[in-house]
Amino acid sequence: MFSHDEKTPAMTRPRVILGMSGGVDSSVAAALLVEQGFDVQGITLQVWEHEDESVPASKRWQERGCCKVGIAKYVAKRLGIAHEVIDTREIFRTGVIDDFLSGYLAGTTPNPCVRCNERVKIRSLYRIAEERGADFVATGHYARIVQSGNEHSLRRAHDLRKDQSYFLYRIDPFWLSRILFPIGTMQKPEVWAHAESLGLPADELKESQEICFVSQGNYRTFVESEAPESRRPGLFTDTNGNVLGQHEGIAYYTPGQRRGLGIATGQRLYVQRVVPETQTVVLGPEDRLFGSECRVADLNLFDESIVAGPSQADVKVRYATPAAPATLEPTRDGTLTVRFHIPQRALSPGQSAVFYDGDRVLGGGIIQ
């Protein structure tokens, strides 16, 4: 629990531990918190490569979208706030990268950003705040926390195109009362304008669309280099079990994928599913990709009524896909069956299904 010293003078500013990536969003979050009167301590979590000029990589860790430490230091100095870099590479390796690799090796499609927020970013900032007796934790995520009485709920950002609540559904419900998302009520153009008005280096505060630890090539080359055992040939089959050819390893294929199959049959084929038990990748036409239900396990819920009986929710099955109406039915084994009112494309084991009631996040889990 965060410490609150009753002897602290009433005029003391509330202290906040802010995650600073060096991007525009966390930089503007820092500026807003300073403007609002918080005592801000900026923290950059070092999650991947060491800050070493000699490291041979196409992009060093501090240059990438999630951890531009040089810019974070510059912004902190410009705003007159404390800043430090904390090494979280070990927990990032075990909690995110190992999970990412084992997921693909098992034929699933993991989401490292979800795991990073749950196991590294928010968790580390919260732990630091506890240790230092700070009042709040803050990040530059596009999301909101809304208080109603003693209850706090996670909500979508006002800028729905940038909303990141999907990546935050696994945070501990107990933490919500101590988390701040300063830019959650802003539109992206407002954030850029605010950065420029502060004299922040807007041209350097670029956004990254890539996975932060995949610095060269793509996820496939990363998996291949980190887990050479992923190259384990198996069979491509059609949906009837007929052999179509040979693949290089199930870790390199995910439902809905069309490119890189190397199969010529006269029709467009897509990965339908991966069968790890037989090391088989099943291919078929696009219209066979759509499914009406999935089972969701490893739940993290903000609203426990979901497991009390059947309920209705809008369900988002990947970040870039709109939420779709569905019926949630709890099962005896503690999982949920999600029945979509309209079939969904390429439901992928390992991805997250996140449940919404309007803009309120109800919780979510991992598609099985």
Side-chain angles (χ1 to χ4, degrees):
M1 191 63 190
F2 286 82
S3 64
H4 292 279
D5 187 350
E6 295 179 4
K7 298 177 183 178
T8 302
M11 294 299 292
T12 300
R13 295 181 298 157
R15 291 183 63 206
V16 58
I17 301 296
L18 169 68
M20 294 186 71
S21 67
V24 66
D25 299 326
S26 60
S27 298
V28 170
L32 292 171
L33 291 168
V34 170
E35 291 169 17
Q36 292 163 13
F38 287 92
D39 176 7
V40 183
Q41 173 137 27
I43 301 286
T44 298
L45 301 174
Q46 182 183 350
V47 294
W48 186 226
E49 290 177 8
H50 195 274
E51 187 184 2
D52 182 348
E53 297 285 336
S54 66
V55 172
S58 62
K59 304 172 192 169
R60 293 192 306 280
W61 74 275
Q62 68 269 32
E63 293 174 340
R64 282 188 243 129
C66 70
C67 38
K68 296 184 283 263
V69 68
I71 297 176
K73 286 178 179 176
Y74 169 83
V75 171
K77 187 174 182 180
R78 181 105 169 71
L79 295 172
I81 63 175
H83 175 268
E84 63 187 287
V85 178
I86 291 182
D87 190 339
T88 52
R89 283 176 295 166
E90 188 175 337
I91 59 171
F92 186 80
R93 177 83 218 188
T94 56
V96 180
I97 293 178
D98 290 351
D99 177 84
F100 179 84
L101 294 171
S102 63
Y104 274 112
L105 288 170
T108 67
T109 308
N111 191 313
C113 297
V114 167
R115 289 301 191 192
C116 185
N117 284 321
E118 172 196 7
R119 298 173 174 176
V120 183
K121 285 184 180 175
I122 307 291
R123 181 178 296 277
S124 296
L125 295 171
Y126 192 91
R127 177 184 54 76
I128 292 164
E130 280 191 309
E131 290 172 354
R132 301 183 184 184
D135 301 287
F136 297 100
V137 160
T139 70
H141 282 101
Y142 283 86
R144 294 179 298 131
I145 305 287
V146 172
Q147 182 176 0
S148 178
N150 292 324
E151 298 293 316
H152 292 77
S153 57
L154 176 62
R155 305 289 182 114
R156 294 182 201 255
H158 282 173
D159 189 337
L160 295 179
R161 292 168 302 175
K162 287 294 181 181
D163 173 55
Q164 294 173 301
S165 60
Y166 177 86
F167 297 122
L168 294 163
Y169 83 92
R170 296 201 68 83
I171 62 179
D172 191 324
F174 176 72
W175 300 348
L176 294 182
S177 64
R178 298 298 184 193
I179 295 177
L180 304 174
F181 296 126
I183 66 169
T185 58
M186 300 174 72
Q187 301 293 314
K188 187 71 181 193
E190 294 178 75
V191 173
W192 280 112
H194 204 87
E196 290 176 0
S197 72
L198 292 163
L200 301 182
D203 57 327
E204 294 183 58
L205 298 174
K206 294 172 184 171
E207 298 187 279
S208 171
Q209 304 299 325
E210 61 194 6
I211 299 171
C212 66
F213 51 84
V214 180
S215 60
Q216 299 179 24
N218 55 30
Y219 92 88
R220 178 174 172 163
T221 56
F222 180 82
V223 171
E224 201 170 357
S225 64
E226 292 286 322
E229 67 274 23
S230 61
R231 184 172 282 281
R232 184 181 171 190
L235 297 177
F236 282 124
T237 70
D238 63 17
T239 52
N240 294 319
N242 299 310
V243 175
L244 300 176
Q246 190 176 67
H247 64 73
E248 297 175 317
I250 61 170
Y252 310 142
Y253 305 93
T254 186
Q257 178 179 334
R258 182 171 72 87
R259 296 183 185 281
L261 301 181
I263 296 287
T265 63
Q267 64 170 326
R268 285 187 173 182
L269 294 178
Y270 297 78
V271 175
Q272 303 289 315
R273 61 185 179 277
V274 175
V275 187
E277 294 80 9
T278 58
Q279 295 289 302
T280 302
V281 177
V282 180
L283 306 180
E286 186 170 24
D287 59 9
R288 296 290 294 269
L289 282 174
F290 290 82
S292 294
E293 68 176 64
C294 63
R295 188 167 64 89
V296 178
D298 193 9
L299 301 173
N300 188 67
L301 301 177
F302 301 112
D303 187 337
E304 292 291 337
S305 68
I306 287 176
V307 290
S311 59
Q312 304 298 311
D314 292 324
V315 181
K316 201 171 172 64
V317 293
R318 57 178 59 81
Y319 173 64
T321 302
T327 300
L328 311 182
E329 297 180 4
T331 60
R332 290 181 179 178
D333 62 1
T335 65
L336 287 173
T337 298
V338 178
R339 304 188 195 282
F340 294 97
H341 300 175
I342 300 172
Q344 298 297 296
R345 186 182 191 277
L347 296 167
S348 303
Q351 287 284 289
S352 290
V354 181
F355 318 134
Y356 292 86
D357 175 15
D359 70 352
R360 182 166 67 102
V361 182
L362 304 174
I366 308 297
I367 298 173
Q368 302 302 294

